[in-house]
Amino acid sequence: MDWGQLAGRLFRDRFGHAPAVVVRAPGRVNLIGDHTDYTGGSVLPMAIDRQVVVAAGAREDGQLVAYSEAFGQTLSAGLGDSVAANSSSWMRYVVGVATSLKRRIPNLPGATMWIGGDLPHGAGLASSAALEVATARAMLGLANEEVPDIELAEICQRAEHEFAGAPCGIMDQLACVMSRKGRALFLDCTSLETKHVAIPWENAGVGKVADYGEDNGHALVVVDTGVKHEIASGEYARRRSECADALRLIREKNARVRTWRDLDEKEIDQVVAGMPVELARRVRHVVTENARVVDAVHALERRDLATFGQLMSRSHESLRDDFEVSCLEVDMIVDCLSGMRGVLGARMTGGGFGGCVIALVERASLARVEKQVKRSFSGSMRDFFEVRSARGAEVVARD
Ligand code: GLA
């Protein structure tokens, strides 16, 4: 798909002139490492070949006028406008990012924007981060300015905290900004150091970037449950504060422990002794999940997909039982997939309480697995599709 051309044409049809810049920003799946970013842990997201696309032109009046193809709606606002005044939620991200960015780049102009793409929104594939990053990159394009990758991700994360009221971690924004094709992004959320890890099922050989694109017989699939539970945002914030409470309790009793990094799997039982049961479970998830991410990176480096698949499944069990962020619909799809021949592993991905399941599937079994899942969940699930890795956000056309 030539997004530059398509978005350029749709922008022109709507606003009567050509855009100055067109940007694409990918969604992501998280291969493993959920609910660890905001505790300074490790995560392993992979940007996917579905994206938010923003075409933009500068405005002299300092206003933001944006049309969303997904919502069929044009909204306008001033930079820094109170977002509560905006009834629609997608505009919060646009206004939030533009306002946060203007603090850093004072000569940022207003903008007319067309927003489209093929990333399902609200499905747990980081559509908000993609919208934030696409907006930010488009506005930077209008101002002819650059901001370093990590800072850009942080500006977008801050906008989400301040303007959308979602206390998210940094994983989604960084994955959207920094990913490379053929690679997953191993991210240390304390130091913000990253490592691009070759994805074996997209690379014929390890080490040579030119090799990617070769398929070694496996596919990563996404099953969109179509479910979004209302409790999601409140529960996310609650998990964050439960983690903070748990760490505080551990530190009171163990002078040696400063951060989650100081905890080892072997000492979980000892440090959670006497703690409320729920908090103890949260600790178990965070500590074991961080270890699984490191093991998963090693498994990818060895091209050991059987172990990688098992780690995915163990991660799901931990999110379901210890962190309690899954839900019935997601668990049923994961169970169904896990029991099938040709499926190496399956798990929820992202924040949870609905959203998407990912599974690593032998290519030879893909058609059968798809048919069986669709038959078992006909009417209840929204979509089943293969995803491939993608580059981070980029300008795809410029006037
Ligand atoms: C959401 C947040 C991320 C991360 C995941 C769970 O996607 O935006 O920061 O916390 O949930 O891993």
Side-chain angles (χ1 to χ4, degrees):
M1 171 85 69
D2 185 341
W3 283 112
Q5 217 176 43
L6 180 65
R9 181 163 56 76
L10 292 170
F11 182 100
R12 207 174 314 111
D13 290 351
R14 183 153 299 274
F15 299 112
H17 58 94
V21 65
V22 181
V23 169
R24 58 159 280 281
R28 62 99 190 93
V29 290
N30 189 20
L31 297 176
I32 195 161
D34 271 312
H35 290 275
T36 47
D37 60 350
Y38 53 79
T39 57
S42 302
V43 293
L44 189 65
M46 176 188 110
I48 58 173
D49 51 353
R50 300 240 175 168
Q51 49 260 304
V52 168
V53 178
V54 169
R59 294 177 69 91
E60 301 286 307
D61 61 4
Q63 289 288 297
L64 297 167
V65 177
Y67 172 75
S68 160
E69 199 71 55
F71 293 88
Q73 198 177 34
T74 303
L75 292 173
S76 39
L79 282 169
D81 267 7
S82 145
V83 186
N86 255 306
S87 55
S88 173
S89 61
W90 63 270
M91 192 62 172
R92 293 177 185 208
Y93 299 100
V94 175
V95 176
V97 165
T99 305
S100 309
L101 201 56
K102 186 141 178 109
R103 290 180 203 145
R104 169 73 162 75
I105 311 277
N107 68 337
L108 206 67
T112 303
M113 290 185 216
W114 172 93
I115 302 169
D118 58 359
L119 180 65
H121 61 86
L125 298 175
S127 55
S128 358
L131 174 57
E132 290 152 18
V133 172
T135 302
R137 276 253 188 275
M139 299 209 61
L140 285 170
L142 296 180
N144 268 318
E145 295 276 0
E146 288 285 341
V147 166
D149 285 351
I150 292 184
E151 195 187 345
L152 184 65
E154 285 172 339
I155 287 172
C156 291
Q157 181 198 23
R158 214 173 307 129
E160 184 149 347
H161 287 191
E162 288 177 24
F163 288 79
C168 61
I170 190 72
M171 168 172 76
D172 299 348
Q173 290 79 5
L174 273 179
C176 184
V177 170
M178 296 187 78
S179 290
R180 293 192 190 152
K181 182 144 178 61
R183 303 287 184 264
L185 185 73
F186 175 60
L187 169 66
D188 175 330
C189 298
T190 299
S191 64
L192 296 188
E193 274 165 26
T194 52
K195 179 158 100 173
H196 297 274
V197 183
I199 299 165
W201 58 91
E202 291 193 8
N203 290 269
V206 192
K208 280 203 299 178
V209 178
D211 282 335
Y212 63 67
E214 295 295 324
D215 201 311
N216 77 350
H218 292 83
L220 189 72
V221 300
V222 168
V223 185
D224 181 353
T225 64
V227 174
K228 195 172 162 56
H229 287 284
E230 280 306 312
I231 51 163
S233 53
E235 287 293 310
Y236 185 94
R238 201 173 121 202
R239 291 298 177 283
R240 276 197 81 141
S241 61
E242 285 171 343
C243 287
D245 291 348
L247 185 62
R248 202 172 312 119
L249 291 176
I250 294 171
R251 285 166 62 169
E252 274 168 23
K253 288 199 188 158
N254 301 268
R256 178 189 65 78
V257 177
R258 307 302 318 148
T259 73
W260 288 97
R261 289 300 169 101
D262 302 324
L263 288 168
D264 186 86
E265 263 183 290
K266 287 188 226 83
E267 52 186 351
I268 296 176
D269 288 341
Q270 177 235 315
V271 296
V272 302
M275 205 182 259
V277 175
E278 261 190 4
L279 293 194
R281 287 203 210 109
R282 310 297 185 246
V283 172
R284 192 174 305 280
H285 169 72
V286 172
V287 177
T288 58
E289 185 79 346
N290 278 324
R292 276 187 293 271
V293 175
V294 174
D295 291 347
V297 169
H298 292 151
L300 288 185
E301 286 170 345
R302 292 194 310 270
R303 304 177 75 82
D304 177 355
L305 296 189
T307 301
F308 185 78
Q310 284 160 14
L311 288 163
M312 287 173 75
S313 300
R314 292 224 300 275
S315 164
H316 182 76
E317 288 158 16
S318 179
L319 287 156
R320 181 192 64 200
D321 301 336
D322 284 337
F323 218 66
E324 299 180 278
V325 288
S326 189
C327 65
L328 187 63
E329 299 88 336
V330 165
D331 291 340
M332 282 170 66
I333 290 178
V334 169
D335 282 351
C336 170
L337 282 161
S338 305
M340 281 185 206
R341 207 166 18 92
V343 176
L344 285 78
R347 67 188 292 276
M348 55 161 272
T349 190
F353 304 106
C356 287
V357 168
I358 56 168
L360 186 59
V361 183
E362 282 171 8
R363 189 163 292 284
S365 308
L366 192 54
R368 175 177 47 80
V369 168
E370 176 170 2
K371 206 161 135 196
Q372 214 168 314
V373 170
K374 283 185 171 163
R375 192 173 336 114
S376 307
F377 298 96
S378 64
S380 60
M381 62 170 243
R382 189 155 70 175
D383 212 351
F384 181 112
F385 53 93
E386 181 178 352
V387 283
R388 291 174 194 260
S389 64
R391 290 161 61 96
E394 61 191 342
V395 171
V396 290
R398 218 175 226 297
D399 201 13

